[in-house]
Amino acid sequence: MHVVNDRRYVCWGLFHDWDDARADFRRRAVLEIHAMDRPATTPQPMSALSTRPDAVVVMMNPGSSAPRPGFEGREWTNQLVPAKPDAVQYQVMRLMGLARWTHVRVVNLADIRAAKSADLYALIESGASEHDLGAIFANANAAVTPDVARAEHVVCAWGLDRRLAPLARQAQAWIDASGATTMGWRADADFPAWRYPKPVGNWNLAVEWLERVSGQLTSA
């Protein structure tokens, strides 16, 4: 259980693509964040994804988020297992508290669990296909379809790196067509670029992101 501003949250993730060498799943298609007073100790079925969240947050890739100990094995395939969030997901929890949301779903342009963004960029530059990247908004993810991203509010937050441009354009087109209220801090760029919620080493920008986005959500 994770406490942020006196509110308790729990996380479940849909991990897939087993890696025997590392003894865990290499990809995460979805992260569910719930405001809840009891800990996440058991998995949830895939049918849990049919529930529409209060909002969806779209970021670049899952980062260092991982299954909790005891849930890293093949027996948990096709189940949402208790998960450890990474630092940026605590920023999502702060946003949830300000917006009074109880359920947020995090999806990503690519589903590869690369803790360093440079690893994802290198894969993109090497010519990886949409299927290699697990691009949800290209309908090229092995675990889920873009329908998991349907919500009344979609917070776009995948960053500003130009190497994400093809994936970002696909995501933006799908989100716009979905009819959701789109939120975020958009940057001036020649592709749909939205500032990341918690830039590394820049707490001032993280605070400003939270202020800007929570202001949009409150007015909406």
Side-chain angles (χ1 to χ4, degrees):
M1 186 174 293
H2 315 282
V3 180
V4 177
N5 295 336
D6 297 323
R7 204 175 189 216
R8 293 174 174 80
Y9 300 89
V10 294
C11 301
W12 283 270
L14 178 60
F15 297 89
H16 65 110
D17 190 15
W18 176 261
D19 182 353
D20 287 310
R22 294 182 57 224
D24 68 1
F25 294 101
R26 294 184 296 182
R27 298 173 181 265
R28 192 199 73 204
V30 172
L31 183 76
E32 301 277 86
I33 306 177
H34 289 265
M36 191 176 293
D37 287 330
R38 64 179 187 276
T41 57
T42 58
Q44 295 187 40
M46 287 281 286
S47 59
L49 295 178
S50 63
T51 300
R52 186 167 293 193
D54 296 315
V56 165
V57 177
V58 185
M59 288 189 277
M60 182 175 67
N61 73 305
S64 60
S65 173
R68 284 205 165 277
F71 295 98
E72 307 97 330
R74 291 181 190 272
E75 65 269 29
W76 308 111
T77 300
N78 296 325
Q79 297 182 67
L80 291 144
V81 300
K84 297 182 292 185
D86 63 14
V88 73
Q89 283 139 23
Y90 284 96
Q91 183 80 324
V92 174
M93 294 173 194
R94 294 184 187 100
L95 179 61
M96 290 176 68
L98 292 169
R100 307 311 299 170
W101 289 334
T102 61
H103 176 198
V104 161
R105 180 170 296 152
V106 178
V107 299
N108 300 278
L109 301 183
D111 73 355
I112 298 165
R113 288 174 51 215
K116 296 180 180 178
S117 57
D119 294 338
L120 177 63
Y121 298 148
L123 190 59
I124 292 172
E125 291 178 319
S126 74
S129 70
E130 293 167 348
H131 288 279
D132 293 334
L133 297 169
I136 289 177
F137 296 103
N139 216 357
N141 188 279
V144 295
T145 70
D147 281 342
V148 298
R150 294 195 183 277
E152 181 179 354
H153 298 98
V154 175
V155 180
C156 299
W158 49 73
L160 312 181
D161 196 284
R162 185 104 191 28
R163 287 166 286 192
L164 299 173
L167 297 175
R169 290 191 180 102
Q170 291 169 345
Q172 192 69 61
W174 189 95
I175 292 164
D176 291 346
S178 76
T181 299
T182 305
M183 304 290 183
W185 181 0
R186 191 156 185 171
D188 185 15
D190 62 354
F191 73 100
W194 296 84
R195 291 189 181 275
Y196 195 61
K198 195 174 182 295
V200 176
N202 196 327
W203 181 245
N204 289 335
L205 274 181
V207 170
E208 186 172 357
W209 183 92
L210 195 60
E211 290 173 347
R212 283 176 176 254
V213 180
S214 63
Q216 295 169 26
L217 294 165
T218 300
S219 64

